[in-house]
Amino acid sequence: MKRDTHSISIIGLGYVGLCTAATFASRGIGTIGIDIDHERVQQIRKGKAPLHEPQLDDMLKTAVKNKLLDATTDFSGATDTNTTFLTVGTPSGRDGSIDLSFLKQATIDLGRALRKKHGYHLVVVKSTVIPGTPTNIVNPILEDFTKTKVGPSLGLCANPEFLKEGTAINDALHPDKIVIGASDKKSADRLTGLCKRFYRGKLPPLIITNPESAELVKYASNAFLATKISFINTIANIAQQTPGVDVGTVAKAIGLDARIGELFLKAGPGYGGSCFHKDLQALINYSKKNGYNPVLFQATEETNEKQATRIVDMAEKLLGSLSDKKVAVLGLAFKKDTDDIREAASFRVIGQLRKKGAQVIAYDPMAIPNAKKVLSDQIDYANNPRSTIKGADCAVIMTEWEQLRKLKPKDFRSYMKTPNIVDARRIYDPEDFRELNYVAVGLGQRNPTGPQQVSRVP
Ligand code: UGA
């Protein structure tokens, strides 16, 4: 690996770790990725991404070819670098509380390795962790295993990550902000120096604070975004009861108020993904343990869970009964351009459809292999959108894939048994579908089978 005054190691080559590693290497900073998964490490060493993320494969290939990125299962690799980022997973425990076992083990392994290192080393917690974790959990483990006190020779920072799947590389290269929660000035200066090197002097807004505040920034961001989605889904459900009203118009208008903002106001089947539900549960659990029940976030989660029932109700209203009806589910991934199905709303909807006796056939351009690992033969799978809707009694749009936008009203009319469509992602223009049995989240109708009358934004 090429040496630089800034060389880094990253422990945990999952989504965040790998994208972070690739972007550091792309900026000429020597990077060592460390993971306990031997197969994953071998794949990365060949410059192949073990997960789907636009641009990641190309970046890894270039980084490996330029000898700026290496991967290993050996934690002593960290001693060849100045800074180690901890990016291991922090899943939910049974009660929703955060499970820190991977973080604790990674810190132990890192601490053992660093014991043999001479010179200053900075440890950065990038995994999403509840406030207090770096100070109360990581710090004592590190001190114990390195036999060094956090201070002049050993630095510790929290540095939460805000990247989104599907745009992770771009988000990492052009973040809105960098948040550094430092245990002391030396740690803060070291990490700021690394950021300056990374952003070549054009540093994004930088917030330097204590580790606890930095961790709460991460949870507050995800809690706010999730709440914004549950808010617009609530408005969508109200709009849907009111003939002629379209939540899209309402969202556009309220979004023009700078205090509200236009982003994350897309009504749909409810949020999914590996973060929002997990992080809200961890935050609720953490807060309750400290004696405060954050009812707002409970409502955010409950609203999200119930949104799947709304979608199934819409299908049921169109069909009368779902028993023995063939329902085509278009889209399985939690959002477009990913094969990730974690907490995807499609699974909540499929579960309810099956409970009501529907026969489900699903299509997704990327996520079918992952879906099969969970659902196996409980549902049928199709290779393309048209064969999915063939002979179906109802089609439910669950992910906003471009491939699905290409389906025309005539496709639904000619392929389906009856053209009943539930557009849970609002990918179609209701005007185009006015002759079909088209219902959509947040679209108020005169009657479910009649023509649409929609207020429009000029
Ligand atoms: C989310 C946050 O957006 C990132 O900032 C954060 O770093 C990340 O979690 C994390 O904690 O690791 P991500 O889960 O990749 O990122 O996906 P989002 O783009 O935020 O979408 C989450 C869900 O909300 C998706 O199911 C999406 O379809 C849904 N969504 C999003 C809506 O239903 N409406 C919207 O307007 C926006």
Side-chain angles (χ1 to χ4, degrees), residues 391-425:
D393 297 287
C394 182
V396 186
I397 316 298
M398 288 303 299
T399 315
E400 70 283 26
W401 287 103
E402 289 310 317
Q403 288 89 329
L404 301 177
R405 287 182 200 274
K406 287 185 190 142
L407 284 176
K408 299 279 174 261
K410 68 172 171 29
D411 295 317
F412 289 98
R413 202 180 288 119
S414 53
Y415 284 92
M416 291 179 72
K417 190 168 162 197
T418 26
N420 294 308
I421 298 149
V422 178
D423 187 352
R425 285 286 187 173

Side-chain angles (χ1 to χ4, degrees), residues 162-163 165 218 222 229 264 266 272 275 334-335 425:
F162 304 99
L163 51 80
E165 287 191 28
K218 170 69 190 190
N222 276 0
I229 296 168
F264 273 68
K266 190 103 187 64
C275 302
F334 84 99
K335 63 178 181 180
R425 285 286 187 173

Side-chain angles (χ1 to χ4, degrees), residues 33 71 165 202 230 238 272:
E165 287 191 28
K202 282 186 221 136
S230 281
I238 294 170

Side-chain angles (χ1 to χ4, degrees), residues 7-50:
S7 58
I8 64 145
S9 42
I10 297 191
I11 299 180
L13 298 175
Y15 204 82
V16 170
L18 197 53
C19 292
T20 308
T23 48
F24 267 105
S26 78
R27 292 284 159 100
I29 298 168
T31 302
I32 297 180
I34 302 172
D35 199 289
I36 52 172
D37 184 338
H38 181 74
E39 228 174 275
R40 177 171 282 254
V41 163
Q42 289 314 316
Q43 206 175 326
I44 295 165
R45 295 195 79 196
K46 287 180 199 147
K48 251 201 105 24

Side-chain angles (χ1 to χ4, degrees), residues 303-315:
T303 304
N304 197 55
E305 187 73 29
K306 285 190 178 149
Q307 197 64 5
T309 311
R310 301 277 312 173
I311 307 302
V312 175
D313 284 352
M314 286 160 82

Side-chain angles (χ1 to χ4, degrees), residues 276-310:
F276 286 171
H277 170 64
K278 170 182 85 80
D279 292 350
L280 272 166
Q281 285 302 319
L283 184 60
I284 292 167
N285 195 284
Y286 168 74
S287 183
K288 275 186 174 172
K289 275 185 185 150
N290 287 332
Y292 172 65
N293 183 5
V295 286
L296 176 64
F297 302 146
Q298 307 258 28
T300 295
E301 281 274 90
E302 205 180 310
T303 304
N304 197 55
E305 187 73 29
K306 285 190 178 149
Q307 197 64 5
T309 311
R310 301 277 312 173

